[in-house]
Amino acid sequence: GEQRRCFSDVRDILPCVLKLVDGAGKHGELFNLGPDDEGITINQLVEMLKLLCCNYTGKTIYLPARPGDCREVRCSADKARKQLGFEQHHSLEKSLRNVVNYIHQCGPKPFNYSLPVEIAGATMPLWIMEAWCSTK
């Protein structure tokens, strides 16, 4: 649970994705879209979700680490800010609160644990592809 990640609200990412899809002249270029902060550990994320879910007190279940998973993943969105006008407007807490409220309003959907976590393909980052292939 000490893996560190940076999370983004889809509403912050979508305008840049649409610019790229509409042919912003950026074919073949890579852009990081996301917060430039230090991120959050998965344990911190779980605790935040527990608080947002009416102070849920259930036990956290830990699974073995995924093969080849990076311990820390961070983002630098400088290029996206300059070339695509990327801006982050929604905090992680506010975004999670919206998701929790939506689930309370609509109800949860059944989850199927038998589905694969990663999707293999030619565009998958090499470190993920190597890990995915080693499990087959």
Side-chain angles (χ1 to χ4, degrees):
E2 290 303 309
Q3 306 92 323
R4 188 169 290 278
R5 299 290 186 266
C6 294
F7 294 96
S8 303
D9 191 297
V10 68
R11 295 171 294 179
D12 292 336
I13 302 301
L14 192 57
C16 293
V17 172
L18 292 175
K19 286 179 185 177
L20 292 169
V21 170
D22 285 342
K26 309 293 181 194
H27 299 288
E29 290 192 51
L30 298 177
F31 290 89
N32 289 320
L33 299 171
D36 292 305
D37 59 25
E38 294 296 312
I40 186 172
T41 68
I42 301 302
N43 283 331
Q44 291 169 325
L45 179 67
V46 168
E47 291 306 313
M48 187 182 292
L49 281 168
K50 283 181 174 183
L51 286 173
L52 291 172
C53 293
C54 304
N55 292 315
Y56 177 77
T57 58
K59 182 180 175 189
T60 302
I61 300 170
Y62 291 93
L63 301 174
R66 297 183 329 193
D69 198 12
C70 291
R71 184 97 170 137
E72 292 194 17
V73 178
R74 295 198 177 140
C75 176
S76 172
D78 288 341
K79 182 179 174 183
R81 267 191 294 282
K82 291 174 187 168
Q83 295 187 30
L84 301 173
F86 172 72
E87 294 182 41
Q88 185 177 339
H89 299 286
H90 302 89
S91 70
L92 176 59
E93 184 176 350
K94 183 176 181 179
S95 298
L96 291 175
R97 187 179 313 279
N98 287 339
V99 170
V100 169
N101 289 341
Y102 178 82
I103 292 170
H104 282 297
Q105 181 181 12
C106 299
K109 292 186 178 182
F111 184 76
N112 183 348
Y113 284 95
S114 65
L115 297 174
V117 175
E118 307 294 354
I119 301 170
T123 59
M124 181 182 288
L126 185 58
W127 66 271
I128 294 176
M129 181 61 91
E130 289 171 350
W132 187 83
C133 291
S134 68
T135 63
K136 297 293 169 200

